[in-house]
Amino acid sequence: MDLITSFAEINNSDRLLQDLRDAIVQKAITQPADSLFTIVPGIKGGQQVVALKDYEYITKQQAGCDPTFTDFNIAGFAQKWNPRSMDVRIKMCYKDFEGAFVQWGLANGYDRRNLAEAEFFDFIESLTAGAMARDFVRVANHGNKDIAVDAILGPNAVGEVDDYNQIDAGLKKSLQLLRANPEFADQFISIGKNAGADAAAQKLADGEALSIYDQLNENIEFEGGDTFYTSHSLYTNYKNLFRGKLLESGVAAIQNSFEPNFDNKPLLDMRWSYDQIIKRDFTDAAGAKDVPHLALIADKSNLQIGVDDTAALTDLRLEYVGGKDENFYIKASYLMDFKIANPYAVAAAF
């Protein structure tokens, strides 16, 4: 099979391009964040997201014929979706592209001699969708349009400013902005070790996660927060209590095996989408990380990734440039944003 010819045939066929677009959108945009976030399709710039406070103390016993009325002023918090362009740009030279295709085929049970155009189509879908899906969740967690001003990228970062500044604020930045708002400040707990000057100063004390989880759970003042989203640093610190490292008896640690929950709320470990990214991109020369410890009580439905799926990848293009530039190019774009839809219904420690 000639890779260059097959590549050109896909790009020159409106039907194949549309099929490829639909497959990538389905795999990369509507599925990957399922365990962390809720996908909200069809958003548009300027579309409002409004959260209203809950009210009570309006029902009273009336003493006589002159009833007492309680002022009832509707108050809430309004935001607007501001989806920004996420540009997909993949470049691979012919040799690397061919090698990657063969390796993908072997990993998926195909013999090199039997690789055909249908498998090549699946390979491009898998290559593109896989990279997009990982970026999708990474930006939803760490996106920040002011990342250059905040100067939090480390000297050895794999990612750069334009790998994170596509959206106004991902989860981490959104929580920081809410904590700075007096209306929501009481919903947040500070973890002192986050401010440590180096790796040693940021290390949690034994059992510290238990105290943080407990305080966060006690301080929460809303109903409905059903999940603990937790950095792996806190998750591991808490889990170590149940592995005999801090218990007096190793037998007791075995008898009381670790269950990934706290006070009947499941603990969702964010190791791959949070801690690993901070380790790669947000660690300074002294080893200090930007917000390495974070715990959040929230409903998944309240952590929303908005996508303009109608316009997603409509500009998908595959190009091969011969001559001196023997490279394959895959180009596309889509629009996304992140919102904590109801800031009244979250509580976090970081």
Side-chain angles (χ1 to χ4, degrees), residues 156-232:
N156 300 314
V158 176
E160 301 175 353
V161 167
D162 56 5
D163 290 307
Y164 289 100
N165 67 357
Q166 302 99 321
I167 65 173
D168 292 342
L171 174 63
K172 183 171 70 173
K173 184 66 173 182
S174 294
L175 292 173
Q176 291 171 332
L177 292 172
L178 288 173
R179 183 170 65 178
N181 186 328
E183 186 170 6
F184 305 107
D186 290 343
Q187 298 166 208
F188 297 93
I189 300 166
S190 293
I191 300 177
K193 294 296 178 64
N194 277 335
D198 54 31
Q202 287 189 318
K203 185 178 179 180
L204 294 168
D206 291 344
E208 191 169 350
L210 174 62
S211 175
I212 291 169
Y213 289 164
D214 193 48
Q215 185 181 358
L216 184 60
N217 204 39
E218 289 298 319
N219 283 10
I220 196 167
E221 294 184 356
F222 66 90
E223 294 181 87
D226 60 1
T227 301
F228 258 104
Y229 293 77
T230 176
S231 63
H232 187 65

Side-chain angles (χ1 to χ4, degrees), residues 81-128:
W81 286 113
N82 183 28
R84 311 254 309 266
S85 178
M86 304 280 288
D87 292 322
V88 178
R89 298 290 184 265
I90 297 174
K91 172 185 175 181
M92 295 182 74
C93 73
Y94 182 90
K95 183 179 179 181
D96 289 343
F97 200 74
E98 181 182 41
F101 180 39
V102 173
Q103 291 297 320
W104 175 89
L106 293 174
N108 286 275
Y110 296 106
D111 185 275
R112 172 67 181 92
R113 295 165 296 179
N114 296 329
L115 287 173
E117 189 165 296
E119 287 73 51
F120 189 53
F121 181 97
D122 291 343
F123 164 67
I124 295 174
E125 173 206 327
S126 178
L127 172 74
T128 308

Side-chain angles (χ1 to χ4, degrees), residues 15-86:
R15 181 185 62 80
L16 288 177
L17 268 182
Q18 183 63 36
D19 288 346
L20 183 60
R21 170 198 176 271
D22 291 344
I24 293 172
V25 168
Q26 173 65 22
K27 190 171 184 178
I29 292 181
T30 62
Q31 295 180 1
D34 185 61
S35 64
L36 295 172
F37 307 113
T38 294
I39 305 295
V40 180
I43 68 164
K44 300 296 180 185
Q47 181 180 340
Q48 284 200 319
V49 182
V50 178
L52 299 178
K53 283 185 175 180
D54 289 331
Y55 289 90
E56 55 186 337
Y57 296 106
I58 62 170
T59 307
K60 301 180 183 297
Q61 183 182 41
Q62 301 301 331
C65 297
D66 187 15
T68 300
F69 288 86
T70 302
D71 290 333
F72 192 82
N73 297 317
I74 300 294
F77 185 77
Q79 308 172 76
K80 290 183 179 180
W81 286 113
N82 183 28
R84 311 254 309 266
S85 178
M86 304 280 288

Side-chain angles (χ1 to χ4, degrees), residues 3 69 71 84 86 142 182 235 286 300 302:
L3 293 185
F69 288 86
D71 290 333
R84 311 254 309 266
M86 304 280 288
H142 301 279
Y235 182 89
K300 173 186 165 183
N302 196 24

Side-chain angles (χ1 to χ4, degrees), residues 139-150:
V139 172
N141 271 305
H142 301 279
N144 174 4
K145 69 180 177 62
D146 297 319
I147 197 165
V149 177
D150 291 348

